[in-house]
Amino acid sequence: MNTDVSVYEVGLRDGLQNEKAIVPLVDKVRLAEALVASGLRRIEVTSFVSPTWIPQLADADAFCRALPKAENVTFSALCPNQRGLERALATTLPEIAVFVSASETHNKKNVNRSTRQSLDEFKDVIAGAKRANRRIRGYVSTVWGCAYEGAIPIAQSLAVTRELLSLGCYQVSLGDTIGAGTPRQTREILTAYLAELGPDQLAMHMHDTRGTALANILVGLDCGIRDFDSAIGGMGGCPYAPGAAGNVATEDLVYMLDGMGIATGVDADAILMAARVAEEVAGRPLPGKVHQAGWFPKRANVGASGTPISKLK
Ligand code: HMG
Ligand code: MG
């Protein structure tokens, strides 16, 4: 098994968009610093969406200006439309992510347009981002099923993925938006995708609503996927996809990979520290398992800065 896996952190975006509380900017910065200190190299920080639709991320512009300086880290943010791109281009973010659902109903509920309208709008968004030398990632939601429409045919999500790649996305992250997937289904989906696409063109974005995210990720690894999205502490969910629980927790994903001898570049102690910061920032216990149970075998129990966790706030 290839040991080079890239973890794409979405807690600040997918996580905080689904928190009841609106987290103050200063706490978002604290969490961003903890995530950077853990060794994560790809961090999605916010969304340039309507503040009416997602009030939790209304401070996107200011937050991007306040991000820690981190040369080795690629920060990214969601952009649904031209207005979102304009906001992104006013920042120094090197990357944006466009998002669309394979399910017509979910796309309509999420962004108030049809899948076709979203894809048409992305032509200009992606072209504009490329002219400004920004990289573009894509998301396709509801690949494993939709809260409104039930099962989504593989051909339907694959067609949307193909189009995003042909528009210029360097990679498309396949979303199990409501955490419905099971391993045999995952193998079936990935086999169909990989018959025409390279594994590096794909990532997996698994919500863990039914506890099957890591099992699905193992199937992904076996099929050759090396890019996995996760959220610190297991935060996350789409406010416009009823029943969607958090993403697979970053610390759980890193723990599993580490135990399998698969390097992620993420430090064990520092990621547990970041999960602790995430709990403080969210103001509630988070569902990730490894930050509750601890690393095994036991680690030095120090935070990212070398300060014992017990001494950190
Ligand atoms: P709309 O109401 O149809 O927009 O919303 P509109 O174009 O008619 O504009 C209405 C107003 O919104 C106008 O302001 C626009 O300027 C403003 P007014 O003239 O009334 O003052 N507006 C904006 N403001 C700021 N930034 C923008 C923007 N665009 C328009 N970019 C819209 C359409 C797409 C904006 C809205 O539906 C929206 O923001 N939706 C966001 C949904 C969202 O963020 N969902 C969660 C993320 S997706 C997800 O979680 C899934 C994922 O994790 C993968 C997975 O799990 O499967 C990625
Ligand atoms: Mg998501």
Side-chain angles (χ1 to χ4, degrees):
M1 209 179 256
N2 185 335
T3 58
D4 190 16
V5 157
S6 172
V7 178
Y8 182 94
E9 169 64 38
V10 297
L12 285 162
R13 192 279 299 170
D14 202 320
L16 298 187
Q17 77 182 12
N18 208 42
E19 288 299 312
K20 277 203 190 76
I22 295 189
V23 171
L25 184 72
V26 60
D27 285 342
K28 291 184 182 182
V29 172
R30 228 177 113 220
L31 181 53
E33 285 168 352
L35 292 169
V36 166
S38 76
L40 286 160
R41 289 292 168 258
R42 298 164 82 201
I43 306 180
E44 193 169 86
V45 290
T46 189
S47 302
F48 295 109
V49 294
S50 158
T52 312
W53 285 62
I54 307 282
Q56 295 91 333
L57 305 183
D59 60 359
D61 316 74
F63 182 40
C64 287
R65 286 192 296 274
L67 284 170
K69 298 273 170 289
E71 274 178 15
N72 302 327
V73 178
T74 300
F75 293 119
S76 184
L78 289 194
C79 276
N81 57 11
Q82 200 61 37
R83 173 87 189 92
L85 177 67
E86 284 161 22
R87 293 173 64 196
L89 294 188
T91 73
T92 57
L93 291 192
E95 182 170 314
I96 62 159
V98 294
F99 58 104
V100 61
S101 186
S103 150
E104 278 299 333
T105 315
H106 178 242
N107 207 62
K108 179 81 183 152
K109 302 261 186 200
N110 199 34
V111 289
N112 198 25
R113 35 179 69 55
S114 68
T115 298
R116 182 74 266 146
Q117 285 172 313
S118 280
L119 288 166
D120 286 346
E121 190 152 8
F122 292 162
K123 282 182 195 143
D124 287 341
V125 172
I126 291 174
K130 277 185 172 285
R131 274 196 302 278
N133 283 327
R134 315 291 171 108
R135 292 219 304 171
I136 304 102
R137 196 175 195 243
Y139 280 103
V140 177
S141 292
T142 69
V143 173
W144 278 260
C146 170
Y148 305 103
E149 293 187 8
I152 300 292
I154 298 174
Q156 195 172 317
S157 64
L158 180 52
V160 176
T161 304
R162 206 182 280 131
E163 190 161 342
L164 285 178
L165 290 167
S166 73
L167 286 174
C169 292
Y170 73 89
Q171 179 173 77
V172 172
S173 185
L174 308 178
D176 185 2
T177 315
I178 56 165
T182 52
R184 188 184 289 185
Q185 178 195 16
T186 299
R187 191 173 294 279
E188 202 187 325
I189 290 170
L190 293 178
T191 303
Y193 273 71
L194 293 168
E196 63 175 273
L197 301 173
D200 54 330
Q201 293 179 291
L202 301 173
M204 289 170 68
H205 177 102
M206 309 308 284
H207 285 265
D208 200 25
T209 317
R210 294 169 179 80
T212 52
L214 283 176
N216 289 318
I217 286 171
L218 269 185
V219 174
L221 275 171
D222 197 39
C223 292
I225 304 295
R226 295 292 178 265
D227 292 80
F228 300 98
D229 301 358
S230 60
I232 192 71
M235 287 193 282
C238 176
Y240 299 102
N247 294 77
V248 65
T250 305
E251 63 275 21
D252 296 2
L253 175 64
V254 170
Y255 178 79
M256 181 184 82
L257 295 172
D258 187 72
M260 295 168 73
I262 298 175
T264 60
V266 178
D267 179 77
D269 298 314
I271 201 68
L272 295 188
M273 184 62 215
R276 173 173 287 217
V277 173
E279 285 199 319
E280 287 174 9
V281 159
R284 67 180 181 99
L286 294 175
K289 295 205 177 327
V290 174
H291 79 262
Q292 298 178 48
W295 212 265
F296 185 85
K298 205 167 168 7
R299 305 277 306 202
N301 201 32
V302 292
S305 58
T307 314
I309 282 181
S310 56
K311 298 240 166 62
L312 289 164
K313 194 172 145 275

